[in-house]
Amino acid sequence: MSAKPTAVVVGSGASGGMVARLLAKSGQYQVVILEKGSNLFQGLGGPASGVTNNWANDELAHEARQGLEDQDTLLEPRSFRTQGYTSSSSQFVGDVNTLPTTVGGGTTHYDAKARRFREVDFITNSLMRGYADPSDDPSPDTSAVSGANYANWPIHYEHLEAFYAASEEVVGIQGPASGKPGAVSNPNPWESLRSTPFPMPPGTDQLNSLLPAYAGVKLGYSDEPIPVPTAVCSRPSRDGRPACVDCGFCLDFGCPINAKGGGVWQVNDAIAAGAQLISRANVTGFSYAPSTGGRQGVNAVSFLFTGTPTDVVMAGGATPYFSPTTESSNTIVLNPANGDLLVLANTPIEATRLSLLSGITPGSSLEPSGMLGQNLMFHLQTAALAVVDRDIHSNRGRTSTHTIDAFAGPGPTASAYLAGGGPSIPRAGIVEMGGNLNPIQSATEVSEFLYGTALKAFMSLAPFTKRLVAFTLQGEDMPQSANAVDLDPNIVDVYGQPVPRITYSSHPYELAASAYYIPKMLELLEAIGLPPSPFPTVHPLFAGSLNTTLPALNTGNANLESLLDATPFNLIPASRHIMGTHRIALDSDHGPCDPFGRYWMFDNLYHAGGGMYVTAPGYNVTLTMWALSYWQAASIISGVGNPNASGYGANLADMDTTAASLRSVIVALDKNTMIGRYIKSGGYNSFIRSL
Amino acid sequence: MGTFFARIKRPSREGGVSDSGEGPLGGAMSRRSFLVAAMASSAAVALPRSLFAGRLVSEHALADAASGPTPLPGGPYFLSHSYTDPSTGNVHDLYAIAAAACAQIIPTATNLRTGNVKSPGANEAGTVNYIDLFMAAFQPNLLSSGLVSTNPIYLGGGFSGRYNYGDSSPTARKLERKGSGPNTFETSSSGQPETIRFLELTDAQLAAWYLRVYGPPSSTSSPPWPSWSSPAWQSAVASGLIPGAQPLQPIYEAGLSALDDWSNQNFSTGFATALPIEQEALIAQAGNPALEAVAGESPPQLPSPLINPVPPAAVATLYPILALHTIQGTYGLPEYRGQADVAVNGTGTEPTPGTIWADVGFDGDTQPLGNSVYKYDAHNDLNAGYPSLTYTDAAGHPQPQGGYSEFRPISTLDDSDTTLATVAEIATLFTALVDAGILTVIEGGPL
C-alpha cells in the first residue's frame, strides 16, 4: 500500500496518458491506469525503443473487419436518435462514434494531425457579437448563435499556449514552424503566434496532399504549401522512437514501428515513473460520500477484470500496487482526505455514461448546471474528392501532409476576425487533404454493382487507391442542449450495463457552413495542376462532394432510411471527434466542470478529454486534449485547482496569474524542453505580452 | 468540366456494421463508406447501352474448374466436398462451388490496363481458402491441424518479410521471405507457411466472433451463450435488436447448396461444372437484380433463356457476403488464405507483373527495409545532415534512423507510369449505373 495519494485514471488514450504521466512524474501520486481494452504493446515501462506491438499493415484486421483495437459494437453497442424522437426505442443500434478500446486509445490508429486552436476560437461568442475583447461584452451569456449554447471558454489561448508547446514536445510533433523560442517563423498565416518551433520538421511530402496545397496557393489561400502539424516522427523522437517510413497504412492502423505519437507513449512514461497499468479493466462505477464544503468525495472505483497477468504492468517487474482478480468485481478504495482522486479520461461519452451509472444526475445537487452529457459536439465532416489522370500513388505516405486553414473562419486574432468579415464569414474548419482507399475497401465500395471483369478493370485503374485526392472539411458544430448522452432505457451491453444513447442533430449553422464551403473545395480540386504547381501534367478528371440535401440511400431498411433522412449526409455520426459533455466554466451554473476539468460538486473527480470543450472549433481535437490534460494535471500537482484551498476563487478570477503558476509545472516536470527552458529563463513572459 | 453531386448505394461492411458511415475521412477515405462523387460529362463519351452486356461476355478465357485452387494441407476444413443439404437431401461439393463463384467475382482475365491476359484472380489467389479458414475459425479440426496458431481472425502483428528491396539477386530471392527483418506472420522453413501466427483472442472477442460465424445460440446449441454475458443482452442479440450476430456458416451452407441446385435447374449441371458463361449468368442474377430490369431479357450469349432467372432466397442472402469475402480474401494479406508471399505476390524487389497486388498497382504490406518505400542512403537530401544510423529493435527489426531516400516515389510522380486514366474509362463504369438507376446524378456546382 502506497503512502502517497492514489490517482486512478480511467482510460489510457491521449488525455489519460498525459494526466497519468504528469501525476506519476510529479512523485506525488501512486497512479493506477485502468484501461477497458486490450494491451497490444509489449514492454511498456521501459525505453520506447524496446517496446514492440501487434500492429501490422493489415487491411483485414484494421479496416475490413471489426477492428482489432476497436470497440466491438456487438458486445457494447450504442443507440442513436435524432432530436425530437420521443419513442423509448432508439432509431439505430450499433456503432455511433465509438473510439478504439485499447491501450493508447484512439491515438493508436489515428492519422495524428495535431492542431492548435487559435486565439479567436476561445472567445468567438463575444467576437460574433462584435466585441473584440470579451471583457467588454455586457452579456457574455447570450449565445451569438440562435438555438445554440454558444459561449466563450473560461480560459484563452494565452493561458493554454505553453501547454500546447509542452505537449508538442512531449508527444513529438512535426510541423513547419521553425526558429527558436521567442523567434518562431511560421509559414501558416492562419495560426496564432507560437512561443516555440515544432520539435521536428515536416516529413516527406505526399503528392496527393501537395497537389491541392499548390492549388491553394493558386487561389490565394497561402503563399506556399503549408505542411500540416502531425504527431508522427519525422526524426527519431526524444524517447527513441524511429522516424516514419511513410508506409501508407496510417489512418485506421497502428504503427508497426512506433513512429506514430500517441497516448501510449505518455502511458509508457507514466509506468516508467512508477504508475501501474491494468488493461482489460472495465470500470463499472464509482461511489462517493459527502466530503468538504458541501461537495462529495469519491471513495471507491469498481471494475471487472478479464485479463491475464500480462495485463498488469509495473516498471521493472515491481510489485503491483493493486492486484486484480477475475473472480469478482475489483474495488480500489480511495480516501479523499488523503488526496486520492479519480480522473475519467475514457472519452466524453463513456465518462458521461459512467457518471450516470454512478448516480450523478444532471440538474441535481450533484451536478447543478444540468449540462452533464449535453452540448455534445462532433465535427460535421464535409468530404470532397477528385480523381486525377496520373498515378499519384495516393496509397503511400502519411494520410495527409498539407493543410488549408482558410475555411476555419477569419482570424487568428480578434482584430483579424473583425477585419476579415467577422460573423458574415461562416466558421467551418481546416481542410484535410490527401487520402486513399486500400484495395479491399476500394473493391468493397463498388462491390454491390461491380464484379468480374468490370471489377478488375476498376481495380486496375485504381481510382481510389492511386489517383485520389480527398478533402475533409472539419466543420465546427454548434453546442446544443438537445444533443446529449444519456442511458438507453432498453438496451444493455454484454456485461448488463445500459449502453449510451446519443441524441444528435446538426444545427443549421454548420449545415450552412458546409454548403458555403463546398464550392470552394471543388474550386480547389479543379485547380490541381495549375500554376504554380510543379506537377502541371496532373489533371483532375472529375471532382465532387457530398451534398446535405440529398435523400437517404436505398438501403432496403425503411426504418434506417427514415433515420438517415434526418441526418446530414445521411450518415450516423462517425466523425470520431467527440466534445462538449463536460463543459468547463467559471461557475457551477455554466458547466459541469471547473476550468481544470473537476466536477464542481466533487473534491476529487475529474474529466480529462474533449468533453471539457465549450465549443468545437474546426480543428482536430487531440492536441487541445493534450494541452488541457497537461493544464489539468498541473492544477492538481500545484494545488491551484484544489477547491479547498483558500486561493481557489481568486485563481478562477485571475486566470492570467493562474496560468503563470501552472507553467511552473512545465519547468518542474519537463525542464529539458524548449518551452521549459524558455519559461525558466523568463523569456516566456515577453512572449505572452506579445499575444 | 462539370462537377456533380451524386449518391450511390453502399455495401455493408464485414462485422455487422450497418450502412452508416464510419470513421472520419480525415483527409483519407477510411472505413467510411463514402458516397461516390461525380463523373465527368457523360455527353462527351460514347458508351455501350449497358456495361452489363460487356460483363456477361468475357472475351478472354476464364479459368475453368479443373484449374481451380486446391485446399490447404488438411483441408478443406469447412467447405466440405460432400455436404448434404438437410432440406433437400442433395449432396454438394461446397468447396468447388465456392471456388467457382469466387472466380466469377474476381476472375482470371485480361487486365485492360496492363494487357496481361492472365491477370490473376481468385483462383490464383486461392481465395476460397480464405473463406474456408474463416468459417472454420472455431472448429477443432482446424485448430488442431497446426496450420494456424489459434483462431484465424486477426493476423499477428509485425512484418511479412516480403521483398528484400533493392536486391534482386538469387541470394536475395532465397531470403525474400525473411527480407531484412524477421517474418513474424508465420513460421516457415520452406516456401509454404508451416504455422500462421494469429493473435490470441480475448474471451470477449471469442464470444463476438463466434456469434458472427455461427449466429446466436439456440436452446440446444453448444457452446451456449458465454456464462458471463447478460441475459438481457443475449435476448437483444438473438432478436436482432443488437445487430451483428450473423450465422455465416449456415448462410454459406444453404446459399452454396441453393446455388448448386439453381444451376442444375437452369443448366442440368451443378454450378462448379457449368460453363463459365453459365456461372457468370447466375452470379449476375444473384447479385444484381437491377440487371434484369436494364436488360429486360435473359443474359446474352446463352443458347436459351434461363429457366428460372430468379435467384433462390438463400443465394440472394449469400451473395453480398460472398462478394465481400471474395474481395477480402483476394486483396488482403495472403496469410489469411493460407498463402505465403510466393507466386501470387511476386518475388524479388517488386511484385512481379501478374501478381495480385501488382495487378492493381498496390505495394502491399510495407515495413522497414522490406517491401518499403524507403531505402538507406547516407547521402540523400531528405534528411540532410542526419546521421545514417540504424538500430535493431527488441523484436529484431532494423529501424531506419534517417539518411534514407524514396525507393518508391511519394513526393514526386513515378515517371515510369505512363498509363493515363481517361474520362472514358472511368465514366464507362459509372454511366451504366445511371442507366440502371443505381446512381443518381444531380448536376450542380458553379464551375
Side-chain angles (χ1 to χ4, degrees):
Chain A
M1 191 76 161
S2 170
K4 292 188 276 192
T6 301
V8 175
V9 179
V10 181
S12 63
S15 297
M18 184 64 85
V19 171
R21 171 185 183 269
L22 294 167
L23 296 183
K25 285 191 70 172
S26 74
Q28 297 179 14
Y29 291 90
Q30 171 58 58
V31 177
V32 180
I33 306 168
L34 300 178
E35 166 55 52
K36 178 170 29 175
S38 297
N39 184 1
L40 298 174
F41 294 88
Q42 301 84 41
L44 290 177
S49 60
V51 175
T52 58
N53 62 60
N54 295 121
W55 307 112
N57 296 163
D58 182 349
E59 214 187 330
L60 269 167
H62 299 292
E63 281 196 324
R65 286 182 169 169
Q66 167 68 49
L68 166 62
E69 69 276 19
D70 295 333
Q71 177 168 331
D72 194 318
T73 53
L74 176 55
L75 304 177
E76 298 179 85
R78 290 179 174 173
S79 64
F80 174 76
R81 60 182 184 176
T82 51
Q83 289 182 22
Y85 188 78
T86 57
S87 170
S88 63
S89 62
S90 290
Q91 294 174 283
F92 174 80
V93 178
D95 182 353
V96 187
N97 246 337
T98 60
L99 289 170
T101 305
T102 188
V103 171
T107 55
T108 51
H109 81 179
Y110 71 156
D111 60 352
K113 289 178 286 294
R115 306 302 311 274
R116 299 185 179 194
F117 292 169
R118 306 164 298 169
E119 295 164 69
V120 296
D121 298 319
F122 294 89
I123 57 173
T124 319
N125 193 53
S126 291
L127 287 176
M128 280 186 167
R129 298 177 61 247
Y131 300 98
D133 187 337
S135 62
D136 295 334
D137 187 345
S139 304
D141 283 354
T142 301
S143 173
V145 179
S146 176
N149 295 330
Y150 214 56
N152 293 331
W153 289 54
I155 59 177
H156 300 162
Y157 179 78
E158 61 267 26
H159 304 137
L160 209 56
E161 198 282 333
F163 301 92
Y164 273 130
S167 298
E168 288 168 349
E169 287 195 69
V170 167
V171 172
I173 291 172
Q174 57 164 275
S178 59
K180 58 183 182 179
V184 175
S185 172
N186 189 355
N188 190 343
W190 300 93
E191 289 186 342
S192 288
L193 291 179
R194 307 168 49 90
S195 59
T196 55
F198 285 100
M200 300 182 193
T204 305
D205 296 333
Q206 179 179 339
L207 198 52
N208 73 332
S209 197
L210 186 63
L211 286 166
Y214 273 109
V217 175
K218 161 73 175 176
L219 296 176
Y221 293 121
S222 62
D223 294 333
E224 58 187 278
I226 307 296
V228 61
T230 310
V232 169
C233 298
S234 62
R235 299 290 185 273
S237 67
R238 57 191 294 114
D239 55 356
R241 293 174 294 110
C244 172
V245 294
D246 289 292
C247 68
F249 291 80
C250 202
L251 179 63
D252 288 342
F253 296 87
C255 183
I257 67 168
N258 294 332
K260 187 180 296 190
V264 65
W265 306 114
Q266 289 84 67
V267 169
N268 196 45
D269 287 347
I271 298 171
Q276 177 181 4
L277 169 67
I278 305 176
S279 49
R280 295 170 63 182
N282 182 19
V283 177
T284 54
F286 54 88
S287 60
Y288 40 87
S291 183
T292 53
R295 290 180 293 273
Q296 303 287 316
V298 175
N299 53 26
V301 57
S302 299
F303 65 95
L304 298 174
F305 178 64
T306 58
T308 67
T310 59
D311 287 294
V312 181
V313 180
M314 292 282 291
T319 301
Y321 170 68
F322 187 88
S323 296
T325 174
T326 58
E327 304 306 316
S328 61
S329 178
N330 298 270
T331 299
I332 298 179
V333 175
L334 299 173
N335 183 355
N338 191 44
D340 297 350
L341 56 89
L342 175 64
V343 179
L344 304 182
N346 52 338
T347 80
I349 291 175
E350 293 297 325
T352 299
R353 178 193 185 207
L354 195 56
S355 300
L356 298 175
L357 289 172
S358 301
I360 301 176
T361 304
S364 70
S365 59
L366 296 177
E367 203 287 282
S369 80
M371 294 187 194
L372 178 65
Q374 293 182 2
N375 300 310
L376 180 64
M377 296 171 287
F378 308 135
H379 282 138
L380 187 67
Q381 297 178 330
T382 303
L385 59 86
V387 172
V388 300
D389 57 353
R390 295 291 301 273
D391 175 3
I392 56 172
H393 31 76
S394 309
N395 56 293
R396 296 179 194 149
R398 304 183 301 288
T399 300
S400 176
T401 61
H402 292 77
T403 182
I404 287 176
D405 290 0
F407 302 164
T413 63
S415 57
Y417 175 84
L418 294 173
S424 69
I425 306 298
R427 285 170 55 88
I430 61 172
V431 181
E432 302 173 349
M433 308 185 293
N436 75 285
L437 291 182
N438 289 319
I440 292 177
Q441 194 64 14
S442 280
T444 302
E445 285 292 331
V446 299
S447 64
E448 197 161 342
F449 49 87
L450 287 184
Y451 75 100
T453 54
L455 176 60
K456 293 197 71 176
F458 172 84
M459 294 297 288
S460 67
L461 285 171
F464 302 137
T465 301
K466 296 165 66 72
R467 306 172 192 274
L468 183 72
V469 177
F471 285 177
T472 298
L473 174 67
Q474 297 289 356
E476 176 172 5
D477 272 9
M478 286 297 121
Q480 302 177 66
S481 299
N483 286 350
V485 180
D486 64 356
L487 299 177
D488 193 287
N490 300 312
I491 301 172
V492 298
D493 66 10
V494 67
Y495 305 107
Q497 291 202 305
V499 304
R501 177 172 62 179
I502 287 88
T503 304
Y504 187 88
S505 293
S506 287
H507 190 280
Y509 186 96
E510 54 252 29
L511 297 175
S514 171
Y516 178 88
Y517 284 111
I518 283 174
K520 296 181 183 297
M521 292 200 291
L522 295 177
E523 187 181 21
L524 277 165
L525 292 168
E526 295 279 349
I528 288 173
L530 297 179
S533 174
F535 304 101
T537 61
V538 181
H539 307 102
L541 290 176
F542 61 79
S545 182
L546 300 178
N547 181 293
T548 62
T549 63
L550 288 175
L553 302 175
N554 176 17
T555 64
N557 180 331
N559 290 333
L560 181 61
E561 289 166 21
S562 175
L563 167 66
L564 296 181
D565 255 338
T567 63
F569 310 140
N570 310 132
L571 294 169
I572 305 297
S575 67
R576 315 300 169 180
H577 295 178
I578 307 166
M579 299 156 279
T581 55
H582 293 68
R583 169 180 283 198
I584 57 175
L586 288 173
D587 59 69
S588 60
D589 290 332
H590 289 84
C593 293
D594 78 358
F596 313 111
R598 181 183 61 82
Y599 283 56
W600 280 106
M601 302 314 296
F602 287 75
D603 280 340
N604 60 348
L605 177 63
Y606 296 80
H607 167 63
M612 298 167 71
Y613 290 18
V614 178
T615 59
Y619 292 85
N620 311 85
V621 299
T622 315
L623 182 61
T624 302
M625 285 166 54
W626 265 313
L628 286 172
S629 297
Y630 206 123
W631 168 270
Q632 177 182 96
S635 76
I636 296 171
I637 292 165
S638 65
V640 165
N642 183 351
N644 296 309
S646 60
Y648 176 76
N651 293 339
L652 298 189
D654 183 356
M655 204 54 73
D656 291 345
T657 302
T658 296
S661 297
L662 297 181
R663 288 196 290 268
S664 64
V665 176
I666 299 175
V667 177
L669 299 184
D670 285 303
K671 58 184 177 183
N672 291 323
T673 59
M674 290 184 285
I675 184 63
R677 290 188 287 268
Y678 192 40
I679 295 171
K680 185 175 181 180
S681 72
Y684 191 83
N685 295 329
S686 302
F687 167 77
I688 277 294
R689 287 192 290 272
S690 69
L691 283 177
Chain B
M1 168 174 39
T3 57
F4 297 81
F5 305 122
R7 189 150 294 242
I8 199 163
K9 292 178 68 174
R10 295 164 297 168
S12 296
R13 186 173 74 86
E14 165 71 331
V17 177
S18 77
D19 282 338
S20 68
E22 178 177 71
L25 285 164
M29 314 305 259
S30 66
R31 287 171 296 173
R32 175 167 165 147
S33 289
F34 65 93
L35 302 175
V36 178
M39 61 185 207
S41 170
S42 59
V45 178
L47 297 165
R49 166 64 180 84
S50 169
L51 179 64
F52 299 141
R55 292 164 64 190
L56 294 175
V57 179
S58 173
E59 56 191 89
H60 307 285
L62 298 175
D64 58 43
S67 62
T70 56
L72 296 170
Y77 294 96
F78 166 71
L79 294 170
S80 171
H81 285 308
S82 57
Y83 170 76
T84 301
D85 185 344
S87 66
T88 62
N90 295 334
V91 179
H92 307 282
D93 183 345
L94 299 185
Y95 186 90
I97 298 166
C102 291
Q104 288 299 324
I105 294 170
I106 302 181
T108 309
T110 297
N111 182 319
L112 299 177
R113 180 172 65 88
T114 65
N116 178 12
V117 299
K118 277 290 189 178
S119 165
N123 268 347
E124 289 76 13
T127 300
V128 64
N129 291 324
Y130 166 77
I131 296 172
D132 192 48
L133 285 182
F134 182 20
M135 290 300 102
F138 296 90
Q139 293 180 188
N141 62 340
L142 174 62
L143 297 176
S144 64
S145 69
L147 181 62
V148 297
S149 62
T150 187
N151 312 89
I153 300 296
Y154 298 118
L155 193 63
F159 310 107
S160 68
R162 273 181 263 278
Y163 312 127
N164 189 10
Y165 76 94
D167 186 344
S168 59
S169 68
T171 302
R173 288 193 170 191
K174 286 182 181 178
L175 297 174
E176 66 181 357
R177 289 177 52 73
K178 295 182 181 179
S180 298
N183 179 346
T184 52
F185 284 177
E186 61 203 42
T187 64
S188 175
S189 60
S190 61
Q192 288 298 317
E194 294 176 347
T195 300
I196 307 168
R197 295 197 184 100
F198 288 91
L199 287 180
E200 291 286 342
L201 299 177
T202 64
D203 289 346
Q205 288 171 327
L206 282 169
W209 282 100
Y210 198 91
L211 287 170
R212 292 190 177 101
V213 174
Y214 291 95
S218 67
S219 59
T220 58
S221 293
S222 177
W225 294 98
S227 60
W228 44 266
S229 62
S230 156
W233 172 84
Q234 295 171 11
S235 295
V237 172
S239 69
L241 178 61
I242 296 176
Q246 195 173 27
L248 293 179
Q249 274 201 351
I251 288 174
Y252 265 105
E253 290 169 335
L256 293 173
S257 299
L259 178 61
D260 207 28
D261 290 338
W262 190 33
S263 177
N264 266 303
Q265 183 181 27
N266 281 287
F267 309 120
S268 300
T269 186
F271 186 82
T273 52
L275 296 174
I277 191 59
E278 295 170 336
Q279 295 173 339
E280 185 171 10
L282 295 186
I283 290 295
Q285 296 298 126
N288 303 278
L291 174 63
E292 191 174 13
V294 171
E297 58 191 14
S298 297
Q301 299 288 319
L302 289 181
S304 55
L306 292 173
I307 297 171
N308 178 13
V310 180
V315 174
T317 299
L318 170 66
Y319 181 79
I321 295 169
L322 180 65
L324 187 68
H325 290 169
T326 300
I327 288 167
Q328 291 178 352
T330 305
Y331 294 117
L333 288 172
E335 284 80 2
Y336 281 99
R337 54 183 186 263
Q339 267 191 345
D341 55 344
V342 296
V344 176
N345 293 293
T347 61
T349 61
E350 296 284 350
T352 57
T355 60
I356 291 286
W357 280 333
D359 202 59
V360 299
F362 189 62
D363 301 320
D365 58 306
T366 58
Q367 54 263 321
L369 311 186
N371 190 27
S372 177
V373 295
Y374 285 122
K375 62 178 179 180
Y376 290 125
D377 183 352
H379 304 291
N380 80 92
D381 61 1
L382 268 185
N383 291 281
Y386 202 80
S388 58
L389 299 175
T390 64
Y391 73 95
T392 302
D393 69 15
H397 303 136
Q399 301 287 3
Q401 283 279 38
Y404 49 82
S405 59
E406 295 178 31
F407 179 62
R408 302 188 180 132
I410 300 173
S411 60
T412 59
L413 287 169
D414 185 348
D415 291 335
S416 66
D417 174 32
T418 57
T419 303
L420 300 182
T422 66
V423 168
E425 288 173 314
I426 295 180
T428 296
L429 297 174
F430 289 94
T431 298
L433 303 171
V434 176
D435 290 343
I438 296 173
L439 174 66
T440 300
V441 179
I442 303 171
E443 185 163 359
L447 302 175

